[in-house]
């Protein structure tokens, strides 16, 4: 299996697509100015105590206050609280953490009103982004994640991933990290650290320690609360950190700044793989070029079709996700309905595993498969689903089919489920239901080009249109595009874009910035 990462950087958002054997399996879309991200650390104040829930609400600058449960304060909360006071007592000289004294562990059966007070300052980290009507979920057990290590302040333990099976390697890594980890810090050694040399682990440890120092220095220097003191790396780099695998063949980026960030990161964690990061310079939109746009259009939405005419209906509710499997117009097998149901269900299991990753669906998922009479067929379906889900990084649990033919799945939910609206709103009538005659559309485009070139003075630009319209403009020996170039200059470029509706168009300058040429008067 080969994997490719496609990063589409736009003015307002960054989209990331992971392809396995050219099939889209993961998709992330995040605004460039996103206010929240899992891993961000804030210096904030307790806003409201909730003794009944044994929790509190903390103001971290979002419209809904963040939720912090007593058990998420962590056993080292007393050490954090004392050190925070020591740091803030001297704005000029930072009190070193190596001199901080460890305080007694917080009891697990304590209460929030006896531990916190209104207005108290706390260092918190986001572990779950706002979902639906809920604010972010917080923890006071701070951690700074790298490729090989996770650094945990005020923890003196060195833990090694249980996925590293070799007892000799586990002992080597544990002894190694105990010798280089500073006082008052703990470390979790991740699975990918297996076989790594001391120089690589020490280099990353220094990077993580610097992140902690930068964060606590911001706490010391500033009095504004809430205050973002540590921001998780850019979405592209953060996803790479968790996803990067030696099987990656290519990482394509269409923005030079993000390209340099990704290249630097890959050079740091896997120097031999630095050449797989490539800057995409093509005129065709990057997602169109790699077939991502078409898969997005077909992979999202309420109805998802898969092989041989079968399809799934996916519904999202406040409490859970519900999936209904249907055979559709699938041809019946000669050996009966049972075999047909089994093959339809097995195909649904393959597609559903991909959909869970693609949409990042979390919480409870209930799947209504087609009824099967044979116990061995139900067991085969259960084993197929378990096998498909092995590639899913999110924690999950799958139960065998119930007597009603339902399969229940729970999957870790960290951020809202990804939902891409595949229905296209008419871009030309603005909801009025009436547009100019379609045959006059190219005349309207030429008027725009004339205005750009002769009135604004933009000599070189890219006109993005639907592929069918682009084919019409480019047809013939002396095409409409060629006539435009002869009349307005060879800076006129026509680019087919699959994301656009039939009579939609967009103008871009040489820096790939959108030129707003849309006016509602077009629709009249």
């Amino acid at each position: 299996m080969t994997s490719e990462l496609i990063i589409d950087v736009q003015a307002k958002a960054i989209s990331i697509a992971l392809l396995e054997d050219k099939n889209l399996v993961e998709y992330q879309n995040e605004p460039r100015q996103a206010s929240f991200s899992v891993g961000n650390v804030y210096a904030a104040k307790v806003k409201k105590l909730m003794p009944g829930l044994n929790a509190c609400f903390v103001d971290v600058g979002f419209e809904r206050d963040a939720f912090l449960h007593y058990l998420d304060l962590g056993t080292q909360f007393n050490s954090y609280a004392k050190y925070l006071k020591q740091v803030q007592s001297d704005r000029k000289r930072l009190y070193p953490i190596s001199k901080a004294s460890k305080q007694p562990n917080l009891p697990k059966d304590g209460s929030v009103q006896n531990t916190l007070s209104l207005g108290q300052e706390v260092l918190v980290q986001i572990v779950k982004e706002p979902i639906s009507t809920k604010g972010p979920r917080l923890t006071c057990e701070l951690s700074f994640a790298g490729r090989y290590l996770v650094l945990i302040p005020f923890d003196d333990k060195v833990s090694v991933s249980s996925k590293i099976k070799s007892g000799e390697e586990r002992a080597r890594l544990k002894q190694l990290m105990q010798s280089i980890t500073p006082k008052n810090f703990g470390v979790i050694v991740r699975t990918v650290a297996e076989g790594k040399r001391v120089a690589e682990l020490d280099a990353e440890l220094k990077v993580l320690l610097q992140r902690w120092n930068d964060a606590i220095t911001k706490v010391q220097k500033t009095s504004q609360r809430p205050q973002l003191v540590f921001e998780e790396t850019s979405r592209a780099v953060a996803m790479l950190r968790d996803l990067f695998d030696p099987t990656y063949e290519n990482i394509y980026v269409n923005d030079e700044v993000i390209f340099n960030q990704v290249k630097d990161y890959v050079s740091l964690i896997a120097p031999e793989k630095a050449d797989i990061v490539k800057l995409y310079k093509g005129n065709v939109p990057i997602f169109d070029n790699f077939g991502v746009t078409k898969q997005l259009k077909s992979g999202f939405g309420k109805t998802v079709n898969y092989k041989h005419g079968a399809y799934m209906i996916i519904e999202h509710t406040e409490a859970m996700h519900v999936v209904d499997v249907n055979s559709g117009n699938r041809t019946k097998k000669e050996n009966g309905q049972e075999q047909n149901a089994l093959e339809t269900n097995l195909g649904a299991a393959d597609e559903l595993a991909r959909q869970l990753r693609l949409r990042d669906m979390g919480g409870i998922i209930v799947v209504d498969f087609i009824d099967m009479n044979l116990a061995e067929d139900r067991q085969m379906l259960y084993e197929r689903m378990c096998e498909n889900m092995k590639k899913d990084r999110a924690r999950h649990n799958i139960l065998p089919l119930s007597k009603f033919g339902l399969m229940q799945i729970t999957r870790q939910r960290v951020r809202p489920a990804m939902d891409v609206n595949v229905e296209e709103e008419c871009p030309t009538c603005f909801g009025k239901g009436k547009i100019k005659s379609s045959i006059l559309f190219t005349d309207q485009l030429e008027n725009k080009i004339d205005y750009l070139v002769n009135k604004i003075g933009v000599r070189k630009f890219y006109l993005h249109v639907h592929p069918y319209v682009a084919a019409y403009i480019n047809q013939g020996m002396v095409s409409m595009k060629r006539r435009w170039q002869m009349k307005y200059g060879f800076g006129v470029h026509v680019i087919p874009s699959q994301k656009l509706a039939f009579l939609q168009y967009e103008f871009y300058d040489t820096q790939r910035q959108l030129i707003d040429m849309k006016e509602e008067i077009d629709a009249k």
Side-chain angles (χ1 to χ4, degrees):
M1 183 185 70
T2 58
S3 300
E4 291 180 312
L5 203 65
I6 316 298
I7 303 175
D8 181 20
V9 182
Q10 299 295 332
K12 295 183 179 180
I14 297 179
S15 300
I16 301 173
L18 175 63
L19 304 179
E20 292 180 355
D21 293 333
K22 304 299 181 182
N23 292 319
L24 180 65
V25 293
E26 290 197 29
Y27 176 71
Q28 298 281 348
N29 179 276
E30 188 161 306
R32 300 286 298 266
Q33 304 300 323
S35 303
F36 283 87
S37 176
V38 170
N40 285 2
V41 178
Y42 289 82
K45 289 186 177 182
V46 176
K47 191 171 182 182
K48 188 176 183 181
L49 296 175
M50 302 291 289
L53 297 173
N54 203 17
C56 67
F57 287 100
V58 180
D59 178 17
V60 289
F62 192 50
E63 59 180 336
R64 292 186 181 275
D65 291 331
F67 181 80
L68 176 63
H69 193 272
Y70 174 82
L71 293 177
D72 291 324
L73 293 176
T75 57
Q76 307 299 331
F77 178 75
N78 291 329
S79 299
Y80 270 111
K82 183 174 181 181
Y83 182 64
L84 198 58
K85 290 179 180 177
Q86 291 171 327
V87 165
Q88 293 176 320
S89 64
D90 188 349
R91 298 287 185 189
K92 294 182 179 179
R93 181 177 172 273
L94 181 64
Y95 189 82
I97 190 174
S98 58
K99 293 184 179 180
S101 57
K102 293 288 287 291
Q103 300 300 305
N105 287 353
L106 201 66
K108 291 185 178 179
D109 56 352
S111 60
V112 70
Q113 67 265 35
N114 294 332
T115 308
L116 296 174
S117 58
L118 284 178
Q120 181 176 341
E121 289 194 12
V122 287
L123 269 179
V124 292
Q125 187 169 35
I126 294 180
V127 293
K128 186 181 287 187
E129 291 186 2
I131 295 176
S132 186
T133 58
K134 302 173 184 175
R137 180 77 182 257
L138 303 178
T139 181
C140 286
E141 294 184 285
L142 306 187
S143 62
F144 297 84
R147 172 70 176 159
Y148 306 123
L149 308 171
V150 178
L151 182 71
I152 306 174
F154 287 110
D155 188 1
D156 52 6
K157 295 179 183 176
V158 173
S159 305
V160 181
S161 169
S162 60
K163 292 183 181 179
I164 298 178
K165 301 301 182 184
S166 168
E168 185 180 341
E169 177 64 7
R170 291 174 63 85
R172 181 189 79 89
L173 289 169
K174 191 165 188 175
Q175 184 178 10
L176 172 62
M177 294 313 303
Q178 284 173 339
S179 65
I180 63 175
T181 304
K183 183 184 176 184
N184 285 338
F185 284 101
V187 165
I188 298 174
V189 182
R190 306 181 76 172
T191 309
V192 289
E194 187 173 6
K196 299 300 178 185
R197 297 166 306 171
V198 61
E200 295 174 273
L201 300 179
D202 185 52
E204 182 164 275
L205 181 62
K206 288 177 179 174
V207 171
L208 299 178
L209 286 168
Q210 187 58 48
R211 290 181 185 174
W212 159 259
N213 288 330
D214 292 344
I216 204 66
T217 301
K218 279 189 180 180
V219 174
Q220 177 208 16
K221 301 274 186 199
T222 59
S223 57
Q224 176 188 350
R225 298 292 181 267
Q227 170 75 38
L228 175 64
V229 296
F230 168 72
E231 188 169 13
E232 186 55 280
T233 50
S234 69
R235 189 78 210 120
V237 174
M239 190 173 180
L240 257 185
R241 185 191 65 206
D242 297 330
L243 284 180
F244 188 79
D245 189 274
T247 62
Y248 276 16
E249 283 196 342
N250 298 295
I251 300 173
Y252 292 100
V253 192
N254 65 344
D255 180 86
E256 196 163 351
V257 175
I258 303 297
F259 163 77
N260 290 327
Q261 290 179 9
V262 172
K263 180 116 178 165
D264 290 345
Y265 183 73
V266 174
S267 300
L268 178 67
I269 63 172
E272 73 282 0
K273 284 284 186 179
D275 291 339
I276 69 172
V277 186
K278 298 170 184 176
L279 181 62
Y280 177 76
K281 296 182 178 180
N283 289 328
V284 176
I286 187 169
F287 273 8
D288 289 8
N289 187 68
F290 293 101
V292 176
T293 305
K294 188 173 183 179
Q295 292 191 60
L296 283 175
K297 297 280 187 183
S298 61
F300 285 88
K302 181 178 176 181
T303 303
V304 177
N305 296 296
Y306 59 101
K307 57 186 178 183
H308 306 307
Y311 64 94
M312 293 186 297
I313 305 292
I314 301 178
E315 295 274 10
H316 304 274
T317 72
E318 183 69 21
M320 65 182 71
H321 304 282
V322 183
V323 182
D324 182 36
V325 178
N326 296 281
S327 59
N329 58 1
R330 180 184 170 86
T331 304
K332 297 287 189 255
K333 291 287 182 183
E334 294 179 0
N335 49 355
Q337 182 178 348
E338 180 75 13
Q339 184 65 23
N340 184 67
L342 175 62
E343 292 193 10
T344 302
N345 286 339
L346 291 178
D350 296 339
E351 180 62 24
L352 180 60
R354 184 179 82 101
Q355 287 289 329
L356 294 181
R357 291 175 68 189
L358 182 59
R359 302 181 186 223
D360 204 7
M361 292 160 59
I364 301 172
I365 302 107
V366 177
V367 190
D368 180 14
F369 286 103
I370 298 173
D371 291 340
M372 296 182 295
N373 296 322
L374 299 179
E376 55 265 34
D377 288 350
R378 294 195 294 271
Q379 180 63 22
M380 186 188 300
L381 175 61
Y382 170 68
E383 292 174 357
R384 179 76 158 259
M385 196 70 209
C386 292
E387 182 64 27
N388 290 337
M389 292 290 285
K390 282 183 178 178
K391 293 182 285 187
D392 197 333
R393 293 177 297 115
R395 291 195 302 272
H396 58 269
N397 189 26
I398 306 171
L399 297 182
L401 270 71
S402 70
K403 64 180 180 180
F404 299 121
L406 302 177
M407 179 180 286
Q408 299 169 69
I409 303 171
T410 61
R411 187 175 181 274
Q412 179 188 20
R413 179 162 66 174
V414 175
R415 58 181 59 86
M418 178 62 60
D419 188 23
V420 176
N421 186 11
V422 297
E423 295 178 350
E424 295 175 347
E425 198 172 87
C426 178
T428 51
C429 75
F430 298 94
K432 294 181 175 62
K434 292 183 179 180
I435 61 172
K436 285 183 179 180
S437 174
S438 298
I439 200 67
L440 301 178
F441 179 62
T442 52
D443 295 342
Q444 178 183 327
L445 288 180
E446 184 170 357
N447 291 337
K448 297 286 185 183
I449 294 171
D450 180 64
Y451 183 78
L452 261 181
V453 174
N454 297 322
K455 297 292 176 64
I456 302 179
V458 178
R459 299 288 175 182
K460 186 175 181 180
F461 55 86
Y462 298 87
L463 170 60
H464 287 219
V465 291
H466 189 277
Y468 290 175
V469 177
Y472 176 74
I473 292 174
N474 287 316
Q475 72 173 349
M477 291 291 292
V478 185
S479 63
M480 187 178 297
K481 172 188 170 183
R482 181 65 64 193
R483 293 200 301 271
W484 287 350
Q485 288 178 335
M486 297 296 290
K487 187 174 181 180
Y488 302 107
F490 285 90
V492 178
H493 301 278
V494 178
I495 309 295
S497 177
Q498 295 175 11
K499 74 173 184 178
L500 299 181
F502 186 56
L503 295 182
Q504 191 176 1
Y505 60 89
E506 290 177 346
F507 285 90
Y508 290 87
D509 61 18
T510 54
Q511 304 301 315
R512 297 296 193 271
Q513 297 298 312
L514 180 67
I515 305 173
D516 187 7
M517 296 292 291
K518 204 74 174 169
E519 298 176 13
E520 191 165 343
I521 194 170
D522 293 344
K524 297 179 181 177

